[in-house]
């Protein structure tokens, strides 16, 4: 739906640019996970760990980081366009957001790429440490290199997943607060409970709140898996994987049903499907 609105237009709407980036990263991530599952089944374990695992893990982290950033920018965009704050900086952002969005997306790609690259280096160094024989001195030097590598990875991971989380939570809370204040003012001014404008505000609050819940619910198990808190094949780890699989779907459903333009396309597809069956 977003791509169709961009076709033929000289400048892409900033909202559609963010949604296209977010959707593309999530679709690619799902395909990447399926590819990983096929490779683990059909490849030799030694060949997979030596030649494929580092590449797959780096791509997986890059796509996850990208999805976090694009989801955060979507929350920021909602906040800037919908919330009614009068501060000068907020007004400046409202006027400049259309030109800032392409740079925000490009910066997100670069940050995600920079944060994912050390995972390939770390996997390679671990494989070297396991397979290559050496003296105690060389082993100690490699151990120091290994610690430095892990410290760099942890630092980059914290910056990569912490900053978009903060952006998403802060912008969502500000937007919910602004919508709630506006809703209370409308109620005090005598608007009826079924007033269309009041209903639209309530629906917007529910949508933003739902998006925030799905975003945070995806972030928490991702952080648990990132730092290997649970044992492999344990029940808590399986629960985290199931939550991570479900949250992007729930986030996308909320996006579709909170936007009339997105609701229209599934309705048309459903209508044509019913006509074809008949």
């Amino acid at each position: 739906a977003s791509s169709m609105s961009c076709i033929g237009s000289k400048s892409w709407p900033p909202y559609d640019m963010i949604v296209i980036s977010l959707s593309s990263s999530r679709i690619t991530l799902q395909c990447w996970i399926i590819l990983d599952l096929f490779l683990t089944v059909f490849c030799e374990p030694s060949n997979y760990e030596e030649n494929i695992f580092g590449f797959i893990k780096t791509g997986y982290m890059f796509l996850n980081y990208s999805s976090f950033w694009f989801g955060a920018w979507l929350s920021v965009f909602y906040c800037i366009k919908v919330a009614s704050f009068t501060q000068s900086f907020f007004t400046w952002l409202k006027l400049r957001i259309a030109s800032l969005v392409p740079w925000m997306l490009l910066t997100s790609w670069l940050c995600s790429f920079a944060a994912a690259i050390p995972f390939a280096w770390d996997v390679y160094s671990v494989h070297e440490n396991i397979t290559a024989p050496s003296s105690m001195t060389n082993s100690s030097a490699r151990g120091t290199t290994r610690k430095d590598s892990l410290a760099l990875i942890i630092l980059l991971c914290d910056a990569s997943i912490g900053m978009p989380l903060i952006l998403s939570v802060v912008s969502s809370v500000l937007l919910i607060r602004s919508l709630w204040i506006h809703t209370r003012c409308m109620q005090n001014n005598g608007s009826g409970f079924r007033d269309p404008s009041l209903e639209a505000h309530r629906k917007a609050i529910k949508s933003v709140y739902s998006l925030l819940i799905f975003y945070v619910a995806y972030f928490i198990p991702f952080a648990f898996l990132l730092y290997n808190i649970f044992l492999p094949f344990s029940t808590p780890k399986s629960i985290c994987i199931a939550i991570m699989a479900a949250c992007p779907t729930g986030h996308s459903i909320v996006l579709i049903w909170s936007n009339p333009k997105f609701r229209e396309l599934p309705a048309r597809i459903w209508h044509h499907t019913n006509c074809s069956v008949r």
Side-chain angles (χ1 to χ4, degrees):
S2 295
S3 300
M4 288 169 61
S5 64
C6 293
I7 295 174
S9 60
K10 294 182 179 179
S11 60
W12 286 19
Y15 176 79
D16 290 321
M17 292 175 65
I18 297 174
V19 172
I20 289 172
S21 300
L22 178 61
S23 303
S24 301
S25 65
R26 285 183 174 169
I27 292 170
T28 309
L29 177 61
Q30 297 300 323
C31 296
W32 200 262
I33 293 172
I34 294 171
L35 174 64
D36 182 35
L37 291 174
F38 275 107
L39 291 175
T40 54
V41 172
F42 294 108
C43 288
E44 291 290 335
S46 58
N47 183 47
Y48 176 81
E49 293 178 5
E50 182 177 354
N51 300 320
I52 302 174
F53 178 67
F55 175 72
I56 291 292
K57 185 176 181 180
T58 305
Y60 175 78
M61 300 308 296
F62 168 72
L63 293 169
N64 262 302
Y65 290 154
S66 301
S67 180
F68 277 124
W69 275 109
F70 298 147
W73 290 134
L74 184 64
S75 300
V76 171
F77 182 82
Y78 277 145
C79 180
I80 292 173
K81 297 298 287 187
V82 178
S84 54
F85 295 111
T86 57
Q87 286 79 1
S88 58
F89 178 70
F90 196 82
T91 305
W92 181 85
L93 283 177
K94 270 184 179 289
L95 298 174
R96 301 287 192 279
I97 187 64
S99 59
L100 290 175
V101 164
W103 294 105
M104 290 157 55
L105 298 177
L106 178 60
T107 304
S108 301
W109 282 107
L110 294 176
C111 289
S112 301
F113 182 77
I117 284 298
F119 280 92
W121 172 51
D122 182 68
V123 169
Y124 175 73
S125 66
V126 170
H127 179 74
E128 263 196 339
N129 289 349
I130 294 173
T131 56
S134 62
S135 63
M136 290 294 293
T137 305
N138 291 340
S139 178
S140 175
R142 278 197 304 273
T144 303
T145 305
R146 163 79 171 146
K147 290 180 181 179
D148 294 341
S149 169
L150 286 176
L152 176 62
I153 289 173
I154 291 173
L155 179 63
L156 287 171
C157 287
D158 289 340
S160 297
I161 64 179
M163 289 178 63
L165 178 69
I166 293 171
L167 283 172
S168 182
V169 171
V170 171
S171 57
S172 298
V173 169
L174 288 175
L175 179 54
I176 292 172
R177 179 177 177 271
S178 175
L179 289 170
W180 180 255
I181 291 174
H182 198 205
T183 302
R184 292 295 298 270
C185 290
M186 292 174 66
Q187 288 177 335
N188 294 334
N189 291 334
S191 297
F193 184 76
R194 291 298 178 183
D195 182 81
S197 181
L198 193 60
E199 283 294 306
H201 277 72
R202 288 201 182 97
K203 185 177 179 181
I205 292 174
K206 292 177 183 177
S207 298
V208 175
Y209 188 67
S210 301
L211 291 174
L212 178 61
I213 288 176
F214 280 118
Y215 189 91
V216 175
Y218 185 85
F219 173 85
I220 293 174
F222 177 76
F224 286 160
L225 296 180
L226 181 64
Y227 295 109
N228 294 320
I229 294 177
F230 302 119
L231 295 174
F233 306 107
S234 63
T235 301
K237 185 169 185 177
S238 300
I239 293 173
C240 288
I241 294 172
I243 293 173
M244 288 183 63
C247 283
T249 303
H251 194 275
S252 299
I253 290 173
V254 173
L255 275 180
I256 290 171
W257 292 110
S258 62
N259 191 312
K261 180 178 70 174
F262 295 158
R263 287 201 307 267
E264 181 184 350
L265 185 59
R268 272 189 288 163
I269 294 173
W270 180 255
H271 175 72
H272 287 307
T273 303
N274 286 342
C275 292
S276 300
V277 170
R278 289 172 186 174

